[in-house]
């Protein structure tokens, strides 16, 4: 089972994940941090009114079980299988990010296939341990990574690289670019990705779902503010160059120089990226494996094998790191991911509420019928 603290820790590190690789809302330029904040608030509405409400209605079931219950075996299986594909695709993107960054930063002479195979094997090892093992691992990693982030920000500030004047003037081109950059892209990545947790919330050991909601939202808000602040730091450090850099936070770290002692700390930044991306890809790997296990009625360990094989093979589809990034930002975030994060969950919630209403209506009618029979017997 999973504790509330472990759940909150996983929400935080999952949302931070690969978002640290990019300037989110880059189309808004120096107002990109505002787009992140707006996207966070919109994502919070989606999380509170849709995603968490689905789990609240069926706290003992995961997403696949809910689909089977409310849509029947055939349609429920189809929806469940679609989400297996979605989770696998998200994992594929993270595996490719991890592998490409590893080659760019550390392992320039290592074949891409070898790096991706090692990543899939390490992720598969964690998945086969089950949700409890994965969530405990994330709980241990979170304070270490947050400490490294704090040290990194202190070094950037001490080096005089951060100039908040680069954020001014606010809304120079109006509010529209900020809104356009936030909706739906920043909801889709990273905040709408909380739909994955419909596979995980049932494992939390607390029976009162209100506590799960409270801790999930706390973790979500912490991560949202953290990502917003991270955008502020990147833009105030690099200015207009932030949107042009492949990995902007790493680019900013290369400029750190304090007394000719603290220099070249980019390996520390690389460690942050690798760990955060690993957590995210493993979370999606675990979600896809759980979903397939419930669909086919097999064990998690068996399901993890075909899922891992599919992720490894699918990772070769992208031609390069930039191809993967361009497909994600130009197509997936605008047209594909909102279907899985907003549209389908909203339809599911409506169906659940309607069927719950029908059931409660029937339950209200039955007592009145039985009471009239009792009165007739009394006569």
């Amino acid at each position: 089972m999973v504790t509330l603290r472990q759940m909150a820790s996983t929400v935080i590190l999952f949302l931070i994940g690969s978002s640290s690789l990019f300037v989110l809302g880059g189309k808004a330029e120096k107002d990109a941090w505002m787009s992140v904040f707006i996207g966070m608030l919109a994502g919070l509405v989606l999380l509170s009114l849709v995603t968490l409400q689905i789990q609240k209605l069926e706290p003992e079931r995961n997403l696949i079980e809910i689909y089977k219950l409310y849509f029947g075996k055939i349609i429920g299986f189809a929806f469940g299988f679609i989400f297996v594909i979605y989770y696998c695709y998200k994992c594929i993107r993270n595996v490719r990010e991890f592998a490409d960054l590893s080659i760019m930063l550390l392992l320039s002479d290592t074949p891409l296939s070898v790096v991706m195979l090692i990543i899939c094997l390490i992720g598969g090892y964690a998945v086969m341990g089950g949700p409890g093992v994965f969530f405990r691992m994330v709980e241990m990693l979170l304070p270490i990574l947050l400490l490294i982030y704090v040290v990194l920000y202190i070094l950037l500030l001490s080096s005089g690289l951060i100039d908040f004047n680069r954020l001014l003037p606010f809304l120079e081109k109006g509010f529209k670019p900020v809104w356009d950059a936030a909706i739906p892209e920043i909801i889709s990545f990273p905040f709408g990705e909380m739909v994955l947790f419909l596979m995980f919330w049932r494992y939390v050991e607390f029976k009162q779902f209100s506590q799960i909601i409270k801790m999930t939202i706390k973790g979500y808000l912490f991560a949202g503010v953290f990502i917003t602040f991270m955008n502020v730091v990147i833009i105030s450090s690099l200015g207009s160059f932030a949107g042009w850099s492949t990995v902007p936070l790493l680019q900013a770290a290369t400029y750190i120089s304090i007394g000719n002692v603290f220099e070249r700390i980019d390996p520390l930044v690389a460690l942050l990226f690798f760990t955060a991306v690993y957590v995210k890809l493993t979370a999606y790997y675990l979600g896809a494996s759980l979903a397939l296990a419930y669909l086919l009625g097999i064990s998690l360990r068996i399901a993890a094998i075909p899922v891992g094989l599919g992720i490894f093979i699918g990772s070769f589809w992208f031609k390069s790191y930039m191809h993967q990034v361009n497909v994600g930002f130009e197509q997936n975030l605008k047209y594909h991911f909102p279907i899985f994060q907003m549209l389908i969950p909203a339809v599911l919630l409506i169906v659940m509420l309607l069927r719950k209403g029908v059931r409660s209506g029937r339950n209200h009618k039955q007592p009145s019928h039985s009471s009239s029979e009792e009165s007739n017997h009394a006569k």
Side-chain angles (χ1 to χ4, degrees), residues 77 102 165 174 212 228 263 288 292 322 327 347 350-351 353 360 370:
F77 183 93
S102 298
N165 289 323
I212 299 175
T228 304
E263 293 181 324
L292 186 64
M322 291 310 299
V327 169
V347 172
I350 292 171
V351 172
L353 291 173
S360 62
S370 59

Side-chain angles (χ1 to χ4, degrees), residues 3-23:
T3 66
L4 287 173
R5 183 175 177 177
Q6 291 168 354
M7 177 58 66
S9 299
T10 306
V11 169
I12 292 170
L13 201 47
F14 173 79
L15 288 176
I16 292 174
S18 56
S19 62
S20 56
L21 299 177
F22 315 103
V23 175

Side-chain angles (χ1 to χ4, degrees), residues 49-66:
L49 299 184
V50 180
T51 315
L52 280 168
Q53 293 304 313
I54 291 172
Q55 192 67 63
K56 185 177 180 181
L57 290 172
E58 295 291 344
E60 301 297 326
R61 293 182 171 89
N62 62 34
L63 182 62
I64 306 304
E65 293 173 308
I66 293 172

Side-chain angles (χ1 to χ4, degrees), residues 118-377:
I118 293 173
I119 294 169
C120 291
L121 289 175
I122 296 173
Y125 180 76
V127 168
M128 288 187 177
V133 172
F134 171 69
F135 278 80
R136 284 196 297 272
M137 176 190 71
V138 177
E139 183 184 25
M140 294 175 60
L141 289 174
L142 180 64
I144 299 172
L145 294 185
L146 290 180
L147 178 61
I148 295 175
Y149 270 114
V150 170
V151 171
L152 175 61
Y153 293 149
I154 291 174
L155 291 175
L156 286 170
L157 192 61
S158 301
S159 297
L161 294 172
I162 296 178
D163 182 5
F164 293 109
N165 289 323
R166 294 191 178 110
L167 300 172
L168 300 174
F170 296 144
L171 300 175
E172 184 178 14
K173 297 182 179 180
F175 185 73
K176 189 177 185 301
V178 175
W179 179 265
D180 290 343
I183 310 297
E185 284 91 338
I186 295 179
I187 299 179
S188 298
F189 174 74
F191 301 112
E193 294 180 300
M194 286 297 296
V195 71
L196 173 65
F197 282 76
L198 286 168
M199 295 301 304
F200 299 150
W201 278 314
R202 62 157 294 183
Y203 295 102
V204 180
E205 59 186 358
F206 280 78
K207 292 183 178 180
Q208 292 183 352
F209 195 74
S210 59
Q211 294 176 301
I212 299 175
I213 293 176
K214 184 178 179 180
M215 289 302 291
T216 298
I217 290 178
K218 281 185 177 180
Y220 177 95
L221 290 174
F222 181 90
V225 172
F226 185 89
I227 295 170
T228 304
F229 177 73
M230 188 161 53
N231 259 32
V232 169
V233 169
I234 292 172
I235 296 169
S236 58
S237 298
L238 298 178
S240 59
F241 293 103
W244 295 96
S245 177
T246 304
V247 187
L249 187 58
L250 181 65
Q251 182 70 40
T254 59
Y255 297 137
I256 292 176
S257 179
I258 302 177
N260 295 323
V261 176
F262 293 102
E263 293 181 324
R264 301 296 301 172
I265 65 165
D266 37 307
L268 190 66
V269 181
L271 177 63
L272 288 176
F273 293 157
F274 293 146
T275 308
V277 175
Y278 169 73
V279 168
K280 194 157 195 172
L281 74 86
T282 306
Y284 273 115
Y285 192 163
L286 177 60
S289 299
L290 285 170
L292 186 64
Y294 276 95
L295 273 180
L296 303 181
I298 58 179
S299 68
L300 175 62
R301 292 192 173 190
I302 295 176
I305 297 173
V307 169
L309 184 61
I311 291 169
F312 175 69
I313 295 173
S315 300
F316 288 95
W317 180 75
F318 297 107
K319 298 176 182 178
S320 65
Y321 175 74
M322 291 310 299
H323 177 226
Q324 182 265 135
V325 171
N326 289 334
V327 169
F329 280 90
E330 297 300 325
Q331 299 179 32
N332 295 150
L333 296 186
K334 295 179 181 179
Y335 309 114
H336 305 146
F337 294 161
I339 296 173
F340 297 94
Q341 299 167 354
M342 306 175 202
L343 180 60
I344 297 178
V347 172
L348 174 60
L349 179 61
I350 292 171
V351 172
M352 292 176 71
L353 291 173
L354 290 175
R355 292 197 62 180
K356 288 279 186 181
V358 171
R359 288 177 185 174
S360 62
R362 289 175 180 174
N363 292 335
H364 283 304
K365 290 179 181 179
Q366 287 176 358
S368 61
H369 179 67
S370 59
S371 62
S372 63
E373 287 183 347
E374 289 176 0
S375 63
N376 291 331
H377 284 300

